[in-house]
Short mmCIF file of all heavy atoms in Angstrom, two decimals:
data_model
loop_
_atom_site.label_atom_id
_atom_site.label_comp_id
_atom_site.label_asym_id
_atom_site.label_seq_id
_atom_site.Cartn_x
_atom_site.Cartn_y
_atom_site.Cartn_z
N GLN A 1063 160.26 120.50 129.22
CA GLN A 1063 159.89 119.08 129.15
C GLN A 1063 158.64 118.84 128.31
O GLN A 1063 158.31 117.71 128.00
CB GLN A 1063 159.68 118.54 130.56
CG GLN A 1063 160.92 118.56 131.42
CD GLN A 1063 160.67 118.09 132.84
OE1 GLN A 1063 159.61 117.57 133.15
NE2 GLN A 1063 161.64 118.28 133.71
N VAL A 1064 157.95 119.93 127.92
CA VAL A 1064 156.67 119.76 127.25
C VAL A 1064 156.73 119.57 125.73
O VAL A 1064 155.82 118.96 125.17
CB VAL A 1064 155.72 120.93 127.62
CG1 VAL A 1064 155.94 122.13 126.72
CG2 VAL A 1064 154.28 120.49 127.57
N PRO A 1065 157.74 120.08 124.99
CA PRO A 1065 157.72 119.94 123.53
C PRO A 1065 157.57 118.49 123.05
O PRO A 1065 156.83 118.22 122.09
CB PRO A 1065 159.05 120.55 123.09
CG PRO A 1065 159.32 121.59 124.12
CD PRO A 1065 158.86 120.96 125.41
N ASN A 1066 158.24 117.54 123.69
CA ASN A 1066 158.10 116.15 123.28
C ASN A 1066 156.68 115.64 123.49
O ASN A 1066 156.14 114.89 122.67
CB ASN A 1066 159.09 115.27 124.05
CG ASN A 1066 160.50 115.35 123.52
OD1 ASN A 1066 160.86 116.32 122.85
ND2 ASN A 1066 161.32 114.38 123.83
N LYS A 1067 156.06 116.04 124.59
CA LYS A 1067 154.68 115.63 124.85
C LYS A 1067 153.73 116.25 123.83
O LYS A 1067 152.80 115.59 123.35
CB LYS A 1067 154.29 116.04 126.27
CG LYS A 1067 155.09 115.35 127.36
CD LYS A 1067 154.73 115.87 128.74
CE LYS A 1067 155.59 115.23 129.81
NZ LYS A 1067 155.29 115.76 131.17
N VAL A 1068 153.98 117.51 123.49
CA VAL A 1068 153.16 118.20 122.51
C VAL A 1068 153.27 117.51 121.15
O VAL A 1068 152.26 117.26 120.47
CB VAL A 1068 153.57 119.68 122.40
CG1 VAL A 1068 152.92 120.34 121.19
CG2 VAL A 1068 153.17 120.43 123.67
N PHE A 1069 154.49 117.19 120.75
CA PHE A 1069 154.68 116.51 119.47
C PHE A 1069 154.03 115.13 119.50
O PHE A 1069 153.39 114.71 118.52
CB PHE A 1069 156.17 116.36 119.14
CG PHE A 1069 156.42 115.53 117.92
CD1 PHE A 1069 156.32 116.08 116.65
CD2 PHE A 1069 156.74 114.18 118.03
CE1 PHE A 1069 156.53 115.31 115.51
CE2 PHE A 1069 156.96 113.40 116.90
CZ PHE A 1069 156.85 113.97 115.64
N GLY A 1070 154.20 114.40 120.60
CA GLY A 1070 153.63 113.07 120.70
C GLY A 1070 152.12 113.07 120.54
O GLY A 1070 151.55 112.17 119.91
N GLU A 1071 151.46 114.08 121.09
CA GLU A 1071 150.01 114.20 120.93
C GLU A 1071 149.65 114.59 119.50
O GLU A 1071 148.72 114.06 118.91
CB GLU A 1071 149.46 115.25 121.90
CG GLU A 1071 149.51 114.84 123.36
CD GLU A 1071 148.99 115.93 124.28
OE1 GLU A 1071 148.72 117.04 123.78
OE2 GLU A 1071 148.87 115.68 125.50
N TRP A 1072 150.42 115.55 118.95
CA TRP A 1072 150.12 116.08 117.62
C TRP A 1072 150.31 115.03 116.52
O TRP A 1072 149.48 114.90 115.63
CB TRP A 1072 151.02 117.29 117.34
CG TRP A 1072 150.89 117.85 115.96
CD1 TRP A 1072 149.96 118.75 115.52
CD2 TRP A 1072 151.72 117.56 114.84
NE1 TRP A 1072 150.17 119.04 114.18
CE2 TRP A 1072 151.24 118.31 113.74
CE3 TRP A 1072 152.83 116.73 114.65
CZ2 TRP A 1072 151.84 118.26 112.48
CZ3 TRP A 1072 153.43 116.68 113.40
CH2 TRP A 1072 152.92 117.43 112.33
N VAL A 1073 151.38 114.26 116.59
CA VAL A 1073 151.72 113.36 115.49
C VAL A 1073 150.68 112.26 115.32
O VAL A 1073 150.45 111.77 114.21
CB VAL A 1073 153.14 112.77 115.67
CG1 VAL A 1073 153.16 111.70 116.76
CG2 VAL A 1073 153.66 112.21 114.35
N LYS A 1074 150.02 111.88 116.40
CA LYS A 1074 149.01 110.82 116.31
C LYS A 1074 147.77 111.26 115.54
O LYS A 1074 147.06 110.43 114.97
CB LYS A 1074 148.61 110.37 117.72
CG LYS A 1074 149.73 109.69 118.49
CD LYS A 1074 149.32 109.41 119.92
CE LYS A 1074 150.47 108.81 120.72
NZ LYS A 1074 150.10 108.58 122.13
N ASN A 1075 147.53 112.57 115.54
CA ASN A 1075 146.34 113.10 114.86
C ASN A 1075 146.66 113.84 113.57
O ASN A 1075 145.78 114.34 112.90
CB ASN A 1075 145.59 114.05 115.81
CG ASN A 1075 145.13 113.36 117.07
OD1 ASN A 1075 144.53 112.28 117.00
ND2 ASN A 1075 145.41 113.94 118.21
N SER A 1076 147.93 113.91 113.24
CA SER A 1076 148.36 114.64 112.04
C SER A 1076 148.40 113.70 110.84
O SER A 1076 148.56 112.48 110.98
CB SER A 1076 149.74 115.25 112.27
OG SER A 1076 150.28 115.73 111.06
N SER A 1077 148.29 114.28 109.66
CA SER A 1077 148.38 113.49 108.43
C SER A 1077 149.77 113.53 107.82
O SER A 1077 149.98 113.02 106.72
CB SER A 1077 147.36 114.02 107.40
OG SER A 1077 147.64 115.37 107.08
N ILE A 1078 150.74 114.10 108.54
CA ILE A 1078 152.08 114.22 107.98
C ILE A 1078 152.72 112.85 107.80
O ILE A 1078 153.48 112.62 106.86
CB ILE A 1078 152.97 115.13 108.87
CG1 ILE A 1078 154.26 115.47 108.12
CG2 ILE A 1078 153.24 114.52 110.23
CD1 ILE A 1078 155.05 116.59 108.74
N PHE A 1079 152.41 111.90 108.69
CA PHE A 1079 152.84 110.51 108.54
C PHE A 1079 151.59 109.64 108.48
O PHE A 1079 150.83 109.59 109.45
CB PHE A 1079 153.73 110.07 109.71
CG PHE A 1079 154.93 110.94 109.94
CD1 PHE A 1079 155.14 111.55 111.16
CD2 PHE A 1079 155.85 111.14 108.93
CE1 PHE A 1079 156.25 112.34 111.38
CE2 PHE A 1079 156.97 111.94 109.13
CZ PHE A 1079 157.17 112.54 110.35
N GLU A 1080 151.40 108.98 107.38
CA GLU A 1080 150.20 108.16 107.21
C GLU A 1080 150.45 106.72 107.65
O GLU A 1080 151.53 106.18 107.48
CB GLU A 1080 149.74 108.19 105.75
CG GLU A 1080 149.30 109.58 105.29
CD GLU A 1080 148.80 109.58 103.86
OE1 GLU A 1080 148.89 108.53 103.22
OE2 GLU A 1080 148.31 110.63 103.40
N ASN A 1081 149.40 106.12 108.22
CA ASN A 1081 149.45 104.72 108.64
C ASN A 1081 150.61 104.44 109.59
O ASN A 1081 151.43 103.54 109.36
CB ASN A 1081 149.55 103.80 107.41
CG ASN A 1081 148.38 103.98 106.47
OD1 ASN A 1081 147.24 104.12 106.89
ND2 ASN A 1081 148.68 104.00 105.17
N ILE A 1082 150.66 105.20 110.67
CA ILE A 1082 151.72 104.98 111.66
C ILE A 1082 151.51 103.63 112.34
O ILE A 1082 150.45 103.34 112.88
CB ILE A 1082 151.71 106.11 112.71
CG1 ILE A 1082 152.04 107.45 112.04
CG2 ILE A 1082 152.72 105.81 113.82
CD1 ILE A 1082 151.97 108.64 113.00
N LYS A 1083 152.56 102.83 112.30
CA LYS A 1083 152.49 101.49 112.90
C LYS A 1083 153.24 101.42 114.22
O LYS A 1083 152.98 100.54 115.04
CB LYS A 1083 153.07 100.47 111.92
CG LYS A 1083 152.36 100.42 110.57
CD LYS A 1083 153.09 99.50 109.60
CE LYS A 1083 152.44 99.51 108.23
NZ LYS A 1083 153.20 98.68 107.25
N LEU A 1084 154.21 102.32 114.39
CA LEU A 1084 155.06 102.25 115.57
C LEU A 1084 155.54 103.65 115.95
O LEU A 1084 155.94 104.42 115.09
CB LEU A 1084 156.28 101.36 115.30
CG LEU A 1084 157.34 101.26 116.40
CD1 LEU A 1084 156.78 100.52 117.62
CD2 LEU A 1084 158.60 100.56 115.89
N ILE A 1085 155.45 103.96 117.25
CA ILE A 1085 156.04 105.19 117.78
C ILE A 1085 156.84 104.80 119.02
O ILE A 1085 156.31 104.27 119.99
CB ILE A 1085 154.97 106.22 118.17
CG1 ILE A 1085 154.12 106.63 116.97
CG2 ILE A 1085 155.64 107.46 118.78
CD1 ILE A 1085 153.00 107.61 117.31
N LYS A 1086 158.14 105.07 118.97
CA LYS A 1086 159.01 104.80 120.11
C LYS A 1086 159.70 106.09 120.53
O LYS A 1086 160.06 106.91 119.68
CB LYS A 1086 160.07 103.75 119.76
CG LYS A 1086 159.52 102.36 119.52
CD LYS A 1086 160.63 101.38 119.16
CE LYS A 1086 161.58 101.13 120.32
NZ LYS A 1086 162.60 100.11 119.98
N THR A 1087 159.87 106.28 121.81
CA THR A 1087 160.57 107.46 122.31
C THR A 1087 161.99 107.09 122.73
O THR A 1087 162.28 105.92 123.02
CB THR A 1087 159.83 108.07 123.51
OG1 THR A 1087 159.73 107.09 124.55
CG2 THR A 1087 158.43 108.52 123.11
N GLU A 1088 162.85 108.10 122.74
CA GLU A 1088 164.24 107.93 123.20
C GLU A 1088 164.92 106.75 122.49
O GLU A 1088 165.40 105.82 123.13
CB GLU A 1088 164.27 107.73 124.72
CG GLU A 1088 163.76 108.92 125.51
CD GLU A 1088 164.66 110.13 125.35
OE1 GLU A 1088 165.89 109.97 125.35
OE2 GLU A 1088 164.12 111.25 125.21
N GLN A 1089 164.96 106.84 121.17
CA GLN A 1089 165.52 105.75 120.37
C GLN A 1089 167.01 106.00 120.10
O GLN A 1089 167.40 107.03 119.55
CB GLN A 1089 164.77 105.63 119.04
CG GLN A 1089 165.28 104.52 118.14
CD GLN A 1089 165.08 103.13 118.73
OE1 GLN A 1089 164.11 102.88 119.43
NE2 GLN A 1089 166.02 102.23 118.48
N LYS A 1090 167.84 105.03 120.45
CA LYS A 1090 169.28 105.18 120.26
C LYS A 1090 169.66 104.94 118.80
O LYS A 1090 169.14 104.04 118.16
CB LYS A 1090 170.03 104.19 121.17
CG LYS A 1090 171.53 104.42 121.23
CD LYS A 1090 172.15 103.55 122.29
CE LYS A 1090 173.65 103.67 122.40
NZ LYS A 1090 174.35 104.62 121.59
N TYR A 1091 170.58 105.76 118.30
CA TYR A 1091 171.13 105.60 116.96
C TYR A 1091 172.58 106.09 116.99
O TYR A 1091 172.83 107.25 117.29
CB TYR A 1091 170.33 106.39 115.92
CG TYR A 1091 170.94 106.36 114.53
CD1 TYR A 1091 170.73 105.28 113.68
CD2 TYR A 1091 171.75 107.40 114.09
CE1 TYR A 1091 171.30 105.24 112.42
CE2 TYR A 1091 172.33 107.37 112.83
CZ TYR A 1091 172.10 106.29 112.00
OH TYR A 1091 172.68 106.26 110.75
N LYS A 1092 173.52 105.17 116.71
CA LYS A 1092 174.95 105.48 116.79
C LYS A 1092 175.25 106.13 118.14
O LYS A 1092 175.00 105.54 119.17
CB LYS A 1092 175.38 106.34 115.60
CG LYS A 1092 175.23 105.63 114.25
CD LYS A 1092 175.86 106.42 113.14
CE LYS A 1092 175.66 105.74 111.79
NZ LYS A 1092 176.32 104.43 111.69
N ASN A 1093 175.74 107.37 118.14
CA ASN A 1093 176.11 108.02 119.39
C ASN A 1093 175.05 108.98 119.91
O ASN A 1093 175.31 109.77 120.83
CB ASN A 1093 177.43 108.79 119.21
CG ASN A 1093 178.59 107.85 118.90
OD1 ASN A 1093 178.73 106.81 119.55
ND2 ASN A 1093 179.40 108.19 117.92
N SER A 1094 173.87 108.95 119.31
CA SER A 1094 172.79 109.84 119.73
C SER A 1094 171.59 109.04 120.23
O SER A 1094 171.46 107.85 119.97
CB SER A 1094 172.35 110.74 118.56
OG SER A 1094 173.29 111.76 118.31
N ARG A 1095 170.74 109.74 120.94
CA ARG A 1095 169.46 109.18 121.36
C ARG A 1095 168.39 110.17 120.90
O ARG A 1095 168.23 111.23 121.50
CB ARG A 1095 169.41 108.96 122.86
CG ARG A 1095 168.19 108.19 123.34
CD ARG A 1095 168.24 107.97 124.84
NE ARG A 1095 169.35 107.14 125.23
CZ ARG A 1095 169.35 105.81 125.23
NH1 ARG A 1095 168.26 105.16 124.87
NH2 ARG A 1095 170.41 105.13 125.60
N PHE A 1096 167.71 109.83 119.81
CA PHE A 1096 166.72 110.75 119.24
C PHE A 1096 165.40 110.64 120.00
O PHE A 1096 165.07 109.62 120.58
CB PHE A 1096 166.51 110.45 117.75
CG PHE A 1096 167.74 110.71 116.92
CD1 PHE A 1096 168.28 109.72 116.13
CD2 PHE A 1096 168.34 111.96 116.93
CE1 PHE A 1096 169.41 109.96 115.36
CE2 PHE A 1096 169.46 112.21 116.16
CZ PHE A 1096 170.01 111.21 115.38
#
């Protein structure tokens, strides 16, 4: 259960995505929930 929490903490402080405006968890797309 921890990898998602680890990523959620990391992405907020990482420069891989600049100017993050929105972070949503468990987002549905077609037949998947990413």
Side-chain angles (χ1 to χ4, degrees):
Q1063 296 177 10
V1064 85
N1066 282 21
K1067 296 176 183 178
V1068 169
F1069 173 82
E1071 291 178 353
W1072 175 84
V1073 74
K1074 294 174 184 177
N1075 299 311
S1076 169
S1077 61
I1078 192 167
F1079 304 123
E1080 296 182 355
N1081 301 319
I1082 296 176
K1083 301 174 183 176
L1084 175 68
I1085 300 177
K1086 292 179 67 177
T1087 59
E1088 297 294 320
Q1089 180 64 34
K1090 190 172 178 4
Y1091 174 82
K1092 296 189 183 296
N1093 296 315
S1094 286
R1095 189 178 296 275
F1096 294 124

